[in-house]
Short mmCIF file of all heavy atoms in Angstrom, two decimals:
data_model
loop_
_atom_site.label_atom_id
_atom_site.label_comp_id
_atom_site.label_asym_id
_atom_site.label_seq_id
_atom_site.Cartn_x
_atom_site.Cartn_y
_atom_site.Cartn_z
N ARG A 313 93.33 109.27 117.78
CA ARG A 313 93.17 108.16 118.75
C ARG A 313 91.72 107.89 118.99
O ARG A 313 90.99 108.82 119.37
CB ARG A 313 93.94 108.45 120.06
CG ARG A 313 95.45 108.59 119.79
CD ARG A 313 96.17 108.77 121.09
NE ARG A 313 97.60 108.89 120.83
CZ ARG A 313 98.46 107.86 120.81
NH1 ARG A 313 97.95 106.62 121.01
NH2 ARG A 313 99.71 108.03 120.56
N SER A 314 91.26 106.68 118.73
CA SER A 314 89.87 106.35 118.98
C SER A 314 89.65 105.94 120.41
O SER A 314 90.53 105.39 121.03
CB SER A 314 89.43 105.23 118.02
OG SER A 314 90.24 104.10 118.21
N GLU A 315 88.46 106.26 120.94
CA GLU A 315 88.15 105.89 122.31
C GLU A 315 87.75 104.44 122.33
O GLU A 315 87.08 103.95 121.49
CB GLU A 315 86.97 106.78 122.80
CG GLU A 315 87.33 108.23 122.95
CD GLU A 315 86.20 109.02 123.52
OE1 GLU A 315 85.21 108.37 123.95
OE2 GLU A 315 86.32 110.26 123.60
N ARG A 316 88.19 103.78 123.37
CA ARG A 316 87.82 102.37 123.58
C ARG A 316 86.42 102.28 124.15
O ARG A 316 86.03 103.03 125.03
CB ARG A 316 88.79 101.67 124.52
CG ARG A 316 90.16 101.44 123.92
CD ARG A 316 91.02 100.59 124.85
NE ARG A 316 92.33 100.29 124.26
CZ ARG A 316 93.23 99.52 124.86
NH1 ARG A 316 92.97 98.98 126.06
NH2 ARG A 316 94.37 99.29 124.31
N THR A 317 85.62 101.36 123.60
CA THR A 317 84.29 101.13 124.15
C THR A 317 84.29 99.82 124.90
O THR A 317 85.00 98.88 124.61
CB THR A 317 83.31 101.10 123.00
OG1 THR A 317 83.65 100.02 122.10
CG2 THR A 317 83.20 102.42 122.26
N VAL A 318 83.45 99.81 125.91
CA VAL A 318 83.32 98.56 126.71
C VAL A 318 82.50 97.56 125.97
O VAL A 318 81.39 97.86 125.43
CB VAL A 318 82.65 98.94 128.08
CG1 VAL A 318 82.41 97.69 128.89
CG2 VAL A 318 83.50 99.96 128.83
N PHE A 319 83.01 96.37 125.89
CA PHE A 319 82.33 95.30 125.22
C PHE A 319 81.50 94.46 126.20
O PHE A 319 82.09 93.91 127.17
CB PHE A 319 83.36 94.35 124.45
CG PHE A 319 82.66 93.16 123.80
CD1 PHE A 319 81.83 93.36 122.70
CD2 PHE A 319 82.86 91.90 124.29
CE1 PHE A 319 81.25 92.21 122.06
CE2 PHE A 319 82.29 90.82 123.70
CZ PHE A 319 81.44 90.98 122.57
N ASP A 320 80.29 94.35 125.97
CA ASP A 320 79.38 93.54 126.78
C ASP A 320 78.87 92.37 125.88
O ASP A 320 78.03 92.54 125.04
CB ASP A 320 78.19 94.39 127.28
CG ASP A 320 77.28 93.65 128.26
OD1 ASP A 320 77.74 92.58 128.76
OD2 ASP A 320 76.16 94.09 128.51
N ALA A 321 79.39 91.20 126.18
CA ALA A 321 79.10 90.07 125.30
C ALA A 321 77.61 89.74 125.31
O ALA A 321 77.00 89.60 126.35
CB ALA A 321 79.89 88.83 125.80
N PRO A 322 77.00 89.60 124.09
CA PRO A 322 75.60 89.18 124.02
C PRO A 322 75.46 87.67 124.32
O PRO A 322 76.42 87.00 124.63
CB PRO A 322 75.24 89.53 122.58
CG PRO A 322 76.57 89.42 121.85
CD PRO A 322 77.62 89.82 122.80
N VAL A 323 74.24 87.21 124.18
CA VAL A 323 73.97 85.75 124.39
C VAL A 323 74.62 84.95 123.25
O VAL A 323 74.40 85.21 122.06
CB VAL A 323 72.48 85.49 124.46
CG1 VAL A 323 72.21 83.96 124.53
CG2 VAL A 323 71.88 86.27 125.60
N ARG A 324 75.44 83.97 123.65
CA ARG A 324 76.12 83.15 122.64
C ARG A 324 75.14 82.31 121.85
O ARG A 324 74.29 81.66 122.40
CB ARG A 324 77.15 82.27 123.34
CG ARG A 324 77.97 81.41 122.39
CD ARG A 324 78.93 80.54 123.15
NE ARG A 324 78.24 79.40 123.69
CZ ARG A 324 78.85 78.41 124.37
NH1 ARG A 324 80.17 78.48 124.68
NH2 ARG A 324 78.19 77.37 124.84
N THR A 325 75.32 82.27 120.50
CA THR A 325 74.53 81.38 119.71
C THR A 325 75.38 80.40 118.88
O THR A 325 74.86 79.55 118.25
CB THR A 325 73.63 82.15 118.73
OG1 THR A 325 74.49 82.92 117.81
CG2 THR A 325 72.73 83.16 119.46
N ALA A 326 76.73 80.55 118.95
CA ALA A 326 77.62 79.63 118.22
C ALA A 326 78.99 79.63 118.92
O ALA A 326 79.31 80.57 119.65
CB ALA A 326 77.76 80.10 116.76
N HIS A 327 79.73 78.60 118.67
CA HIS A 327 81.08 78.42 119.26
C HIS A 327 81.98 77.77 118.26
O HIS A 327 81.63 76.79 117.59
CB HIS A 327 80.98 77.61 120.50
CG HIS A 327 82.33 77.41 121.20
ND1 HIS A 327 82.91 78.38 121.98
CD2 HIS A 327 83.09 76.29 121.21
CE1 HIS A 327 84.06 77.87 122.40
NE2 HIS A 327 84.22 76.64 121.96
N TRP A 328 83.18 78.36 118.04
CA TRP A 328 84.18 77.76 117.14
C TRP A 328 85.41 77.36 117.96
O TRP A 328 85.85 78.08 118.86
CB TRP A 328 84.63 78.80 116.11
CG TRP A 328 83.64 79.30 115.15
CD1 TRP A 328 82.39 78.77 114.90
CD2 TRP A 328 83.79 80.46 114.35
NE1 TRP A 328 81.75 79.54 113.93
CE2 TRP A 328 82.53 80.60 113.58
CE3 TRP A 328 84.76 81.43 114.14
CZ2 TRP A 328 82.37 81.61 112.68
CZ3 TRP A 328 84.54 82.43 113.27
CH2 TRP A 328 83.35 82.53 112.53
N LYS A 329 85.94 76.18 117.64
CA LYS A 329 87.26 75.78 118.14
C LYS A 329 88.24 75.73 116.96
O LYS A 329 88.00 75.06 116.01
CB LYS A 329 87.19 74.40 118.79
CG LYS A 329 86.52 74.42 120.18
CD LYS A 329 86.70 73.11 120.90
CE LYS A 329 86.11 73.21 122.32
NZ LYS A 329 86.31 71.94 123.07
N LEU A 330 89.30 76.54 117.07
CA LEU A 330 90.27 76.68 116.02
C LEU A 330 91.62 76.18 116.50
O LEU A 330 92.12 76.68 117.46
CB LEU A 330 90.40 78.17 115.56
CG LEU A 330 89.09 78.87 115.23
CD1 LEU A 330 89.32 80.32 114.89
CD2 LEU A 330 88.35 78.16 114.12
N ASP A 331 92.16 75.20 115.84
CA ASP A 331 93.43 74.64 116.29
C ASP A 331 94.59 75.42 115.69
O ASP A 331 94.42 76.36 114.92
CB ASP A 331 93.52 73.13 115.98
CG ASP A 331 93.52 72.85 114.46
OD1 ASP A 331 93.94 73.66 113.67
OD2 ASP A 331 93.02 71.73 114.10
N ALA A 332 95.82 75.01 116.06
CA ALA A 332 97.03 75.76 115.68
C ALA A 332 97.23 75.70 114.17
O ALA A 332 97.96 76.55 113.63
CB ALA A 332 98.24 75.21 116.42
N GLY A 333 96.68 74.68 113.46
CA GLY A 333 96.92 74.61 112.03
C GLY A 333 95.86 75.33 111.17
O GLY A 333 95.90 75.25 109.96
N THR A 334 94.94 76.07 111.83
CA THR A 334 93.88 76.77 111.08
C THR A 334 94.45 77.68 110.04
O THR A 334 93.96 77.72 108.86
CB THR A 334 92.98 77.57 112.03
OG1 THR A 334 92.39 76.63 112.96
CG2 THR A 334 91.94 78.33 111.32
N GLY A 335 95.46 78.44 110.36
CA GLY A 335 96.03 79.44 109.44
C GLY A 335 96.67 78.73 108.21
O GLY A 335 96.55 79.18 107.08
N ARG A 336 97.35 77.61 108.48
CA ARG A 336 98.01 76.90 107.37
C ARG A 336 97.01 76.29 106.42
O ARG A 336 97.17 76.32 105.22
CB ARG A 336 98.95 75.85 107.92
CG ARG A 336 100.20 76.42 108.68
CD ARG A 336 101.19 75.35 109.06
NE ARG A 336 100.72 74.44 110.05
CZ ARG A 336 100.77 74.66 111.37
NH1 ARG A 336 101.24 75.79 111.84
NH2 ARG A 336 100.28 73.75 112.25
N ARG A 337 95.94 75.74 107.00
CA ARG A 337 94.90 75.13 106.14
C ARG A 337 94.24 76.22 105.31
O ARG A 337 93.92 75.99 104.13
CB ARG A 337 93.88 74.37 106.99
CG ARG A 337 94.41 73.07 107.59
CD ARG A 337 93.30 72.20 108.09
NE ARG A 337 92.54 72.88 109.15
CZ ARG A 337 92.92 72.86 110.48
NH1 ARG A 337 94.03 72.24 110.80
NH2 ARG A 337 92.17 73.47 111.33
N TRP A 338 93.91 77.35 105.87
CA TRP A 338 93.24 78.41 105.11
C TRP A 338 94.21 78.95 104.05
O TRP A 338 93.82 79.29 102.91
CB TRP A 338 92.76 79.52 106.05
CG TRP A 338 92.05 80.61 105.28
CD1 TRP A 338 92.48 81.92 105.02
CD2 TRP A 338 90.81 80.47 104.58
NE1 TRP A 338 91.56 82.59 104.26
CE2 TRP A 338 90.55 81.73 103.99
CE3 TRP A 338 89.87 79.43 104.42
CZ2 TRP A 338 89.39 81.97 103.21
CZ3 TRP A 338 88.74 79.67 103.67
CH2 TRP A 338 88.48 80.91 103.11
N ALA A 339 95.50 79.00 104.35
CA ALA A 339 96.49 79.51 103.34
C ALA A 339 96.46 78.58 102.15
O ALA A 339 96.54 79.05 101.01
CB ALA A 339 97.87 79.55 103.99
N SER A 340 96.27 77.26 102.33
CA SER A 340 96.28 76.36 101.18
C SER A 340 94.98 76.53 100.37
O SER A 340 94.99 76.22 99.16
CB SER A 340 96.35 74.91 101.69
OG SER A 340 95.19 74.47 102.35
N VAL A 341 93.92 77.03 100.99
CA VAL A 341 92.66 77.26 100.26
C VAL A 341 92.71 78.59 99.53
O VAL A 341 92.44 78.72 98.35
CB VAL A 341 91.47 77.23 101.25
CG1 VAL A 341 90.19 77.69 100.50
CG2 VAL A 341 91.27 75.84 101.81
N ALA A 342 93.02 79.70 100.27
CA ALA A 342 92.99 81.04 99.73
C ALA A 342 94.29 81.55 99.17
O ALA A 342 94.31 82.52 98.48
CB ALA A 342 92.50 81.99 100.85
N GLY A 343 95.39 80.81 99.44
CA GLY A 343 96.68 81.21 98.93
C GLY A 343 97.37 82.33 99.71
O GLY A 343 98.41 82.83 99.30
N ASP A 344 96.82 82.70 100.88
CA ASP A 344 97.38 83.78 101.69
C ASP A 344 98.37 83.21 102.65
O ASP A 344 98.04 82.79 103.74
CB ASP A 344 96.26 84.55 102.41
CG ASP A 344 96.80 85.77 103.13
OD1 ASP A 344 98.06 85.96 103.20
OD2 ASP A 344 95.98 86.57 103.64
N TYR A 345 99.67 83.25 102.27
CA TYR A 345 100.71 82.69 103.04
C TYR A 345 101.49 83.74 103.85
O TYR A 345 102.71 83.64 104.09
CB TYR A 345 101.68 81.90 102.18
CG TYR A 345 101.13 80.56 101.70
CD1 TYR A 345 100.43 80.52 100.50
CD2 TYR A 345 101.27 79.42 102.46
CE1 TYR A 345 99.86 79.34 100.03
CE2 TYR A 345 100.72 78.21 101.99
CZ TYR A 345 100.05 78.19 100.83
OH TYR A 345 99.50 77.00 100.39
N ASN A 346 100.80 84.79 104.31
CA ASN A 346 101.43 85.76 105.19
C ASN A 346 101.96 85.04 106.39
O ASN A 346 101.25 84.28 107.11
CB ASN A 346 100.36 86.76 105.61
CG ASN A 346 100.96 87.97 106.33
OD1 ASN A 346 101.94 87.83 107.05
ND2 ASN A 346 100.35 89.11 106.14
N PRO A 347 103.25 85.23 106.75
CA PRO A 347 103.85 84.47 107.86
C PRO A 347 103.19 84.67 109.20
O PRO A 347 103.32 83.82 110.10
CB PRO A 347 105.32 85.03 107.88
CG PRO A 347 105.56 85.52 106.50
CD PRO A 347 104.22 86.04 106.02
N ILE A 348 102.45 85.75 109.40
CA ILE A 348 101.80 85.96 110.69
C ILE A 348 100.67 84.95 110.95
O ILE A 348 100.20 84.82 112.02
CB ILE A 348 101.23 87.42 110.86
CG1 ILE A 348 100.12 87.65 109.84
CG2 ILE A 348 102.32 88.42 110.75
CD1 ILE A 348 99.48 89.02 110.00
N HIS A 349 100.30 84.17 109.89
CA HIS A 349 99.24 83.22 110.07
C HIS A 349 99.68 81.77 110.08
O HIS A 349 98.89 80.86 110.39
CB HIS A 349 98.26 83.33 108.84
CG HIS A 349 97.66 84.67 108.70
ND1 HIS A 349 96.91 85.32 109.66
CD2 HIS A 349 97.64 85.56 107.60
CE1 HIS A 349 96.51 86.51 109.22
NE2 HIS A 349 96.95 86.65 107.98
N LEU A 350 100.95 81.53 109.82
CA LEU A 350 101.41 80.14 109.54
C LEU A 350 101.94 79.40 110.75
O LEU A 350 101.68 78.21 110.84
CB LEU A 350 102.44 80.16 108.43
CG LEU A 350 101.99 80.85 107.10
CD1 LEU A 350 103.10 80.74 106.07
CD2 LEU A 350 100.69 80.21 106.60
N SER A 351 102.68 80.03 111.61
CA SER A 351 103.26 79.34 112.76
C SER A 351 103.60 80.37 113.84
O SER A 351 103.72 81.59 113.54
CB SER A 351 104.53 78.58 112.40
OG SER A 351 105.61 79.49 112.12
N ALA A 352 103.72 79.89 115.07
CA ALA A 352 104.13 80.81 116.13
C ALA A 352 105.47 81.45 115.86
O ALA A 352 105.70 82.61 116.10
CB ALA A 352 104.12 80.07 117.48
N LEU A 353 106.37 80.66 115.34
CA LEU A 353 107.77 81.17 115.08
C LEU A 353 107.75 82.30 114.08
O LEU A 353 108.32 83.36 114.25
CB LEU A 353 108.66 80.00 114.61
CG LEU A 353 110.14 80.31 114.51
CD1 LEU A 353 110.70 80.72 115.88
CD2 LEU A 353 110.88 79.11 113.91
N SER A 354 107.08 82.04 112.91
CA SER A 354 107.08 83.06 111.84
C SER A 354 106.28 84.30 112.28
O SER A 354 106.60 85.44 111.89
CB SER A 354 106.55 82.51 110.57
OG SER A 354 105.26 82.03 110.70
N ALA A 355 105.23 84.07 113.06
CA ALA A 355 104.43 85.23 113.51
C ALA A 355 105.20 86.10 114.49
O ALA A 355 105.15 87.35 114.44
CB ALA A 355 103.11 84.72 114.14
N LYS A 356 105.91 85.44 115.39
CA LYS A 356 106.69 86.21 116.38
C LYS A 356 107.77 87.04 115.78
O LYS A 356 108.14 88.13 116.22
CB LYS A 356 107.27 85.24 117.45
CG LYS A 356 106.18 84.68 118.42
CD LYS A 356 106.83 83.70 119.41
CE LYS A 356 105.75 83.18 120.36
NZ LYS A 356 106.32 82.20 121.32
N ALA A 357 108.33 86.52 114.63
CA ALA A 357 109.37 87.28 113.95
C ALA A 357 108.83 88.59 113.38
O ALA A 357 109.59 89.53 113.13
CB ALA A 357 109.94 86.43 112.81
N LEU A 358 107.52 88.73 113.25
CA LEU A 358 106.89 89.88 112.70
C LEU A 358 106.06 90.61 113.77
O LEU A 358 105.17 91.40 113.46
CB LEU A 358 106.04 89.54 111.53
CG LEU A 358 106.79 89.12 110.30
CD1 LEU A 358 105.91 88.49 109.24
CD2 LEU A 358 107.61 90.24 109.69
N GLY A 359 106.34 90.35 115.03
CA GLY A 359 105.71 91.09 116.13
C GLY A 359 104.43 90.58 116.68
O GLY A 359 103.83 91.22 117.55
N MET A 360 104.00 89.41 116.26
CA MET A 360 102.74 88.83 116.78
C MET A 360 103.04 87.92 117.98
O MET A 360 104.16 87.39 118.05
CB MET A 360 102.02 87.99 115.69
CG MET A 360 101.62 88.80 114.49
SD MET A 360 100.32 90.01 114.84
CE MET A 360 101.24 91.52 114.53
N PRO A 361 102.10 87.73 118.88
CA PRO A 361 102.35 86.85 120.04
C PRO A 361 102.45 85.35 119.65
O PRO A 361 103.06 84.55 120.31
CB PRO A 361 101.16 87.10 120.96
CG PRO A 361 100.06 87.63 120.07
CD PRO A 361 100.82 88.41 118.98
N ALA A 362 101.75 85.00 118.56
CA ALA A 362 101.76 83.66 118.00
C ALA A 362 100.99 83.79 116.66
O ALA A 362 100.61 84.88 116.24
CB ALA A 362 101.08 82.65 118.92
N ALA A 363 100.83 82.62 115.96
CA ALA A 363 100.08 82.71 114.70
C ALA A 363 98.66 83.18 114.99
O ALA A 363 98.01 82.81 115.97
CB ALA A 363 100.06 81.32 114.03
N ILE A 364 98.16 84.00 114.04
CA ILE A 364 96.77 84.51 114.24
C ILE A 364 95.94 84.05 113.04
O ILE A 364 96.42 83.84 111.89
CB ILE A 364 96.69 86.01 114.37
CG1 ILE A 364 97.25 86.74 113.08
CG2 ILE A 364 97.49 86.48 115.57
CD1 ILE A 364 97.09 88.27 113.12
N ALA A 365 94.65 83.90 113.26
CA ALA A 365 93.72 83.43 112.20
C ALA A 365 93.59 84.59 111.18
O ALA A 365 93.58 85.73 111.52
CB ALA A 365 92.38 83.09 112.80
N HIS A 366 93.42 84.18 109.91
CA HIS A 366 93.14 85.15 108.83
C HIS A 366 91.83 85.82 109.09
O HIS A 366 90.78 85.18 109.39
CB HIS A 366 93.02 84.45 107.50
CG HIS A 366 94.29 83.82 106.98
ND1 HIS A 366 94.79 82.66 107.51
CD2 HIS A 366 95.16 84.16 105.99
CE1 HIS A 366 95.88 82.28 106.84
NE2 HIS A 366 96.12 83.20 105.90
N GLY A 367 91.80 87.15 108.97
CA GLY A 367 90.56 87.88 109.08
C GLY A 367 89.52 87.47 108.05
O GLY A 367 88.31 87.41 108.28
N ILE A 368 90.03 87.18 106.81
CA ILE A 368 89.09 86.80 105.75
C ILE A 368 88.44 85.45 106.06
O ILE A 368 87.26 85.23 105.79
CB ILE A 368 89.84 86.76 104.37
CG1 ILE A 368 90.25 88.17 103.96
CG2 ILE A 368 89.01 86.08 103.28
CD1 ILE A 368 89.04 89.10 103.74
N TYR A 369 89.20 84.56 106.64
CA TYR A 369 88.59 83.25 106.99
C TYR A 369 87.50 83.45 108.05
O TYR A 369 86.41 82.87 107.95
CB TYR A 369 89.69 82.33 107.58
CG TYR A 369 89.14 81.11 108.32
CD1 TYR A 369 88.60 80.05 107.60
CD2 TYR A 369 89.15 81.11 109.71
CE1 TYR A 369 88.06 78.94 108.29
CE2 TYR A 369 88.61 80.00 110.40
CZ TYR A 369 88.11 78.92 109.69
OH TYR A 369 87.56 77.87 110.38
N LEU A 370 87.77 84.25 109.07
CA LEU A 370 86.81 84.47 110.12
C LEU A 370 85.52 85.12 109.56
O LEU A 370 84.36 84.70 109.86
CB LEU A 370 87.38 85.42 111.21
CG LEU A 370 88.61 84.87 111.95
CD1 LEU A 370 89.22 85.95 112.81
CD2 LEU A 370 88.25 83.62 112.74
N ALA A 371 85.70 86.14 108.68
CA ALA A 371 84.58 86.83 108.12
C ALA A 371 83.78 85.88 107.18
O ALA A 371 82.58 85.85 107.16
CB ALA A 371 84.99 88.14 107.37
N ALA A 372 84.52 85.12 106.34
CA ALA A 372 83.88 84.21 105.41
C ALA A 372 83.04 83.15 106.17
O ALA A 372 81.95 82.79 105.72
CB ALA A 372 84.91 83.57 104.53
N ARG A 373 83.59 82.66 107.25
CA ARG A 373 82.85 81.66 108.00
C ARG A 373 81.65 82.23 108.69
O ARG A 373 80.56 81.63 108.71
CB ARG A 373 83.79 81.05 109.06
CG ARG A 373 83.19 79.90 109.82
CD ARG A 373 84.21 79.10 110.59
NE ARG A 373 83.58 78.11 111.44
CZ ARG A 373 84.23 77.27 112.22
NH1 ARG A 373 85.58 77.30 112.29
NH2 ARG A 373 83.60 76.36 112.94
N ALA A 374 81.72 83.47 109.11
CA ALA A 374 80.58 84.20 109.68
C ALA A 374 79.51 84.45 108.66
O ALA A 374 78.28 84.40 108.91
CB ALA A 374 80.99 85.42 110.41
N LEU A 375 79.94 84.76 107.48
CA LEU A 375 79.00 85.13 106.34
C LEU A 375 78.32 83.89 105.75
O LEU A 375 77.30 84.03 105.07
CB LEU A 375 79.73 85.87 105.29
CG LEU A 375 80.10 87.32 105.56
CD1 LEU A 375 81.13 87.79 104.52
CD2 LEU A 375 78.85 88.23 105.52
N ALA A 376 78.89 82.72 105.97
CA ALA A 376 78.46 81.54 105.23
C ALA A 376 76.98 81.25 105.24
O ALA A 376 76.39 80.87 104.20
CB ALA A 376 79.27 80.31 105.69
#
Side-chain angles (χ1 to χ4, degrees):
R313 296 184 179 272
S314 58
E315 294 184 6
R316 288 188 177 182
T317 57
V318 176
F319 176 70
D320 186 15
V323 176
R324 183 182 78 179
T325 63
H327 179 78
W328 297 344
K329 285 190 175 181
L330 309 178
D331 63 30
T334 299
R336 292 188 292 275
R337 288 194 299 275
W338 182 249
S340 71
V341 172
D344 185 351
Y345 286 91
N346 189 327
I348 64 174
H349 302 302
L350 303 182
S351 70
L353 188 63
S354 61
K356 287 178 180 179
L358 291 168
M360 298 293 113
I364 63 174
H366 294 73
I368 292 298
Y369 166 75
L370 299 171
R373 187 166 172 180
L375 285 165

